[in-house]
Structures are given as C-alpha cells and as structure tokens.
C-alpha cells in the first residue's frame, strides 16, 4: 500500500503540474505566459486540498475558500465556476479563479490577469478606495460562453483576456481527463483512499516538526508604508505541542486605501511561513495547514470587510505579514534576515494594451549562506518577463535590467542584491506603482546590517512608493528594488 500510495500521490501531483504547464503554454498575456503568475491544484470531493503545483504561495493558501464558495452552489459534473470576489474566496480582483468538477473532487486554477476593467489600466491603481475602482467583481458564477463574452467585454484587451481564460479552461479539461484516467487505471476507491492518506501524511509531518520547536508565545510587529502614514501589523505566535496559533490582535484597522487583506490572504501568508520553517519538503496539500490556527480581528487590516479595496493587500500586505511572522518565529528558532518585503508591482497601459509585472529583489542572508540576489521572494514565486518578450509585445523599451550592486546588507553572510529595472514608454500611457520598503529598509539578523531600501524614479526624479500617473513618449520609469538584510556581525 505504501508503494501504491507513492505512485498515486505522484500521479496526483503530476496532474497539478501538468495543469499549470498547459495553462502557461496556452496563455496569451506575458504575465501568465512568461512570468507564470498562475497556480493549479486538485481538491478532494469534500473540499480539502490534496495536491498543488509549486506555484504562487499567496494563490495556493487561499484556494480552499474559493472551493468552499463554489461548493455552496452544488456544481454539477460538467460545470465550471468563475470568481474573483475577495470576500467569497478570491484574493484581489486580477486573480481570477476557475473551479470545476472532476471524476473525484475538484480542479482549480488561479491566474493574475493583466486587466479586469479597473479604473486604471492593469487594474492595480495605487489610490483605490473601493473594490469597484479596481475592476469587475465576480461572485461564484457558472461559466458558459455567454458569461465569458460578457465578462471579457468589460475588460481592456478583451481578446487577450478571452485567450487567458480559455487557457485556464484547457487546464481544467486536462485535469478532468487525467483524473478519470487515474481512477480507471487504479480504481476510484483506491484513489480516494490515497487522497485521504496524502492529506493525513502531510499533517503528520508538519505536526512532528512543530512538536520539535520550543513551546511559547512569540510576538512581533512591523509596518506598511501607506500613503497617509504607517500602518502596524502585530502578530503573536503561540506554539503548543504540535499546534501553532497565530493571532493578529492589535493590528491596525482596515483603512480607506487598498492595503487591506481578506482573511484568505492572511491565512496564505501564515501557511507559507509555517511550511518554510517546519517541513518545506512535505508534499504540498491542505494537511500541511491543518495544525495552524489563524485569528484576526474582523474589520482589521488583515481581515477586512467589504467593500474595502484590496488590490495591494494581496501583493504587499501579504509580504509584510510574512516578515512579521518570520520575526516572531525567530525568537524561537533561527530564521533568515529580512528579504526585500515587496513585490514592486508595476503596471502600464492604455486603451490598446495593458502590462503588469513584479520585480525581484534581495533575499535575506541565512545563518550559513549569503542571500540570493534578484529573486521574487516570500509570497511571490514568479519570473521576470524576458526583455525580448516584453519589447515584442508592448510599446515599452527596457533601458536597463541589472543587479543593484551594494544594496544587500553586510554581515558574516551578506544579503542578496536588489534589481534596477528601467523602462521607457514608447507612446502615451498610464502607469501605477505599488511598492513597499521605500522608507524602512529590510533589517539584518543577529548583528547583520540592514539592506538598502528601494527607490522609484520618473525621469530621474524620485516619486512615491505608491503612485498612479501618465507617461508621455520617452518618459523613463526606474525601479530600484530593496536588497536583503545581512546575517551575523
């Protein structure tokens, strides 16, 4: 049975990975095709996540709530549901989720679309205050050709949006075929039993790792750089045997900007940190999250209530939550120094095109190694858009893309270097930047020095961390991303 479990478990993980590959290779937009800003997973009939591809952390931890929201509609065998509502299973509006039935459970994909009809091209305005300003809000809705046409017609570049959504649908059809083949080959009952055991196995491994940590209560705090002033995130981590409770009491109330998080995103960040610090090689399933309890005050920055804007919460607040939790756990065990702590979100667009990217930076140094440079850290796991692909598809020119030398913090082990990304507009367009760690630098650990904070510049003049505006032909945006903190004096 153990051998057969490994075989079936590998088959289920392979289906999730193949779903992701089909989505990436079929997609139209650079954000999915080149940057791979998408995720795929398989769920059991009762809504437990069983296998996930190693894609985007902030997507994957929030998927169970999307499946639960769809299950409330009792979907039929051939139904596909679409949603992006952050308050019914989504994260932020550009992340569109599809959920479909398989022979045994559900298949799920989530992809960040380059536009969903927001007030600004790219649907990531720096100054939004309500969901409606950020784009179309889609509650769990049965998807058919008419719904698909109606939704994409309300978005910029509807042909590209349609192509990306059809790529997601192709991944779902592939999952349905592969799960049916697996059930026929191995037997439906055996596959079902293997799903149960895979979930339980991941839970056992994480509980064993938690039990090895020192019991206690560990607290930490950090801030977000909101336009109107700093917003504090507080967390208390309580380890008791093989359970961990994470409580965000004392965190700032939700505010009128878009740094708010739905609870699903907060849970994602918590699950990511626990997995990193306990058993990062455990088979990726919902069982790994079972020992983790997350509490957050309703109406707070990390458990916002509708219709609060959330565009930046998914990308920036999630990173800060991870930083706070690593700091708290660092009072019990060794953890790396702080990484860049931001995704450096950048959008361009007009009526003819929309483009979105995140930009890598430095990771914090570890107790036994320097931090890596120019990588997407914590809640993002995307790639950089290749210069050739970007310039071929969009009226933009990459003037410079290089490591930001000297931005990593000194120490016995150095922090990773940030990145310099310089882009020139080749025509009139709008832009938005949503970034963090421009005022407060990523900190070192155990005597290591802090890294350099990031900077944003327009034609050589420094501009705010969060800004939306217009570009003329020839205007140049420069993003200098933070480095990672050093480790050890």
């Amino acid at each position: 049975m153990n051998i057969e479990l490994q075989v079936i478990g590998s088959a289920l993980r392979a289906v999730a990975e193949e779903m992701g590959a089909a989505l990436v290779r079929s997609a139209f937009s650079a954000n999915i095709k080149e940057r791979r800003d998408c995720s795929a997973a398989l769920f059991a009939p009762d809504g437990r996540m069983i296998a996930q591809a190693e894609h985007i952390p902030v997507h994957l931890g929030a998927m169970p709530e999307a499946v639960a929201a769809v299950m409330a509609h009792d979907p039929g065998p051939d139904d596909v549901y679409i949603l992006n509502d952050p308050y019914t299973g989504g994260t932020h509006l550009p992340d569109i989720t599809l959920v479909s039935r398989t022979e045994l459970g559900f298949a799920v994909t989530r992809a960040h679309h380059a536009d969903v009809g927001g007030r600004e091209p790219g649907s990531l305005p720096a100054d939004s205050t309500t969901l409606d300003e950020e784009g179309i809000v889609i509650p769990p809705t049965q998807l058919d050709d008419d719904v698909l046409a109606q939704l994409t017609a309300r978005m910029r570049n509807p042909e590209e949006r349609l192509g990306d959504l059809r790529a997601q649908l192709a991944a779902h059809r592939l999952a349905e075929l592969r799960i049916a083949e697996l059930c026929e080959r191995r037997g439906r009952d055996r596959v079902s039993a293997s799903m149960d055991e895979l979930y339980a196995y991941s839970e056992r491994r994480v509980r064993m790792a938690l039990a090895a940590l020192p019991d206690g209560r560990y607290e930490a705090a950090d801030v977000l750089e909101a336009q109107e002033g700093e917003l504090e995130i507080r967390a208390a981590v309580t380890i008791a045997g093989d359970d961990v409770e994470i409580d965000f009491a004392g965190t700032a109330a939700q505010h009128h900007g878009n740094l708010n998080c739905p609870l699903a995103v907060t849970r994602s960040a918590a699950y990511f940190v626990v997995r990193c610090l306990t058993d990062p090689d455990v088979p990726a399933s919902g069982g790994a999250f079972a020992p983790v309890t997350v509490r957050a005050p309703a109406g707070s920055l990390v458990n916002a209530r509708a219709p609060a804007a959330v565009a930046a919460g998914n990308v920036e607040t999630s990173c800060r939550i991870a930083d706070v939790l690593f700091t708290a756990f660092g009072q019990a065990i060794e953890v790396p120094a702080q990484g860049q702590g931001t995704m450096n979100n950048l959008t361009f667009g007009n009526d003819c095109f929309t483009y979105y990217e995140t930009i890598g930076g430095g990771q914090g140094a570890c107790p036994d190694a320097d931090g890596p440079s120019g990588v997407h850290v914590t809640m993002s796991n995307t790639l950089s858009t290749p210069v050739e692909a970007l310039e071929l598809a969009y009226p933009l020119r990459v003037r410079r893309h290089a490591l930001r030398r000297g931005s990593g913090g000194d120490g016995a082990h150095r922090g990773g270097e940030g990145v310099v990304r310089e882009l020139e507009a080749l025509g009139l367009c709008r832009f938005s930047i949503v970034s963090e760690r421009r005022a407060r630098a990523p900190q070192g650990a155990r005597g290591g020095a802090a890294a350099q904070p990031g900077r944003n510049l327009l034609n050589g003049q420094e501009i705010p961390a969060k800004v939306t505006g217009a570009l003329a032909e020839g205007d140049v945006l420069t993003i200098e991303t933070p480095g990672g903190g050093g480790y050890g004096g």
Side-chain angles (χ1 to χ4, degrees):
M1 179 58 185
N2 287 338
I3 293 174
E4 186 174 38
L5 175 64
Q6 290 295 324
V7 169
I8 295 176
S10 295
L12 291 168
R13 289 190 290 272
V15 173
E17 293 287 353
E18 192 178 3
M19 288 173 65
L23 172 51
V24 165
R25 293 176 182 178
S26 304
F28 280 41
S29 69
N31 190 53
I32 301 173
K33 178 172 58 179
E34 303 289 354
R35 295 186 59 252
R36 303 188 181 188
D37 195 346
C38 58
S39 300
L42 297 174
F43 284 71
D46 61 0
R48 291 173 300 156
M49 186 165 66
I50 300 301
Q52 63 186 47
E54 297 291 355
H55 290 153
I56 312 299
V58 75
H59 287 180
L60 295 165
M63 279 185 176
E65 295 200 23
V67 174
V70 170
M71 288 177 66
H73 292 264
D74 193 23
D78 298 320
D79 293 344
V80 179
Y81 274 74
I82 184 171
L83 65 93
N84 73 350
D85 186 347
Y87 300 104
T88 55
T91 50
H92 64 174
L93 298 184
D95 286 342
I96 295 180
T97 304
L98 299 189
V99 180
S100 67
R101 293 287 297 269
T102 68
E103 176 80 12
L104 192 60
F106 299 88
V108 184
T109 60
R110 176 167 285 169
H112 184 118
H113 290 253
D115 189 87
V116 288
R119 174 167 53 80
E120 291 290 336
S123 301
L124 202 72
D127 55 355
S128 56
T129 58
T130 66
L131 277 183
D132 288 341
E133 294 179 296
E134 298 176 346
I136 300 166
V137 180
I138 310 170
T141 303
Q142 189 171 340
L143 187 62
D144 56 29
D145 289 343
D146 288 341
V147 170
L148 195 58
Q150 291 169 13
L151 290 175
T152 55
R154 297 167 64 191
M155 303 174 185
R156 295 175 182 87
N157 293 339
E159 290 186 359
E160 187 176 81
R161 304 288 76 73
L162 185 60
D164 285 347
L165 285 166
R166 284 177 171 164
Q168 285 185 255
L169 284 168
H172 283 256
R173 298 311 178 204
L174 178 65
E176 293 164 17
L177 175 64
R178 293 290 185 259
I179 294 298
E181 291 173 346
L182 182 60
C183 288
E184 182 178 1
R185 187 167 63 250
R186 294 288 173 181
R188 197 175 189 278
D189 290 344
R190 284 183 176 274
V191 175
S192 178
S194 296
M195 285 181 168
D196 292 340
E197 179 54 28
L198 286 168
Y199 186 95
Y201 177 64
S202 294
E203 180 176 352
R204 288 197 301 271
R205 281 184 53 171
V206 171
R207 287 194 181 280
M208 287 177 60
L210 284 170
L213 302 181
D215 286 356
R217 178 183 170 91
Y218 310 100
E219 300 182 17
D222 206 332
V223 299
L224 289 163
E225 300 165 2
Q227 291 173 317
E228 71 276 17
E230 293 182 340
L231 300 171
E232 189 174 54
I233 296 178
R234 304 193 65 86
V237 173
T238 302
I239 303 171
D242 62 359
D243 286 292
V244 61
E245 180 181 282
I246 297 170
D247 191 340
F248 290 93
T251 293
Q254 68 184 59
H255 75 310
H256 69 271
N258 61 17
L259 283 162
N260 303 295
C261 271
L263 186 57
V265 170
T266 300
R267 286 183 176 135
S268 286
Y271 296 157
F272 165 77
V273 172
V274 171
R275 188 178 175 203
C276 285
L277 297 179
T278 54
D279 193 343
D281 295 323
V282 66
S285 85
F289 311 147
V292 185
T293 300
V294 177
R295 304 189 189 282
S300 69
L301 192 66
V302 294
N303 186 8
R305 289 290 178 257
V310 298
N314 180 63
V315 289
E316 296 301 294
T317 307
S318 65
C319 292
R320 191 63 66 254
I321 292 169
D323 285 345
V324 170
L325 295 181
F326 274 118
T327 301
F329 275 100
Q331 298 169 35
I333 57 175
E334 297 287 353
V335 301
Q338 286 185 344
Q340 70 163 341
T342 175
M343 296 190 196
N344 305 293
N345 304 270
L346 180 59
T347 65
F348 295 92
N350 53 34
D351 290 339
C352 300
F353 84 99
T354 53
Y355 173 68
Y356 167 73
E357 70 176 11
T358 59
I359 306 173
Q363 176 61 294
C366 297
D368 57 354
D370 293 346
S373 300
V375 294
H376 292 76
V377 295
T378 61
M379 301 309 293
S380 175
N381 190 33
T382 56
L383 303 177
S384 298
T385 306
V387 172
E388 299 83 356
L390 191 159
E391 293 185 343
L392 180 65
Y394 306 102
L396 301 168
R397 177 178 293 124
V398 180
R399 297 257 302 251
R400 187 181 180 201
H401 187 207
L403 291 179
R404 187 186 176 200
R405 299 296 182 184
S407 57
D410 288 328
H413 295 288
R414 280 192 57 84
E417 307 282 26
V419 167
V420 179
R421 182 85 157 170
E422 190 172 279
L423 298 107
E424 178 184 353
L426 302 183
L428 297 174
C429 64
R430 302 281 296 173
F431 79 95
S432 291
I433 300 172
V434 178
S435 59
E436 280 282 324
R437 294 297 192 204
R438 268 45 182 178
R440 292 204 181 200
Q443 297 300 297
R446 300 291 193 266
Q452 291 294 314
R455 292 203 310 161
N456 306 326
L457 302 101
L458 174 58
N459 297 326
Q461 300 297 311
E462 194 158 350
I463 56 177
K466 298 168 181 66
V467 60
T468 291
L471 296 176
E473 183 177 354
D475 282 347
V476 176
L477 274 177
T478 303
I479 310 298
E480 298 179 358
T481 71
Y487 192 98

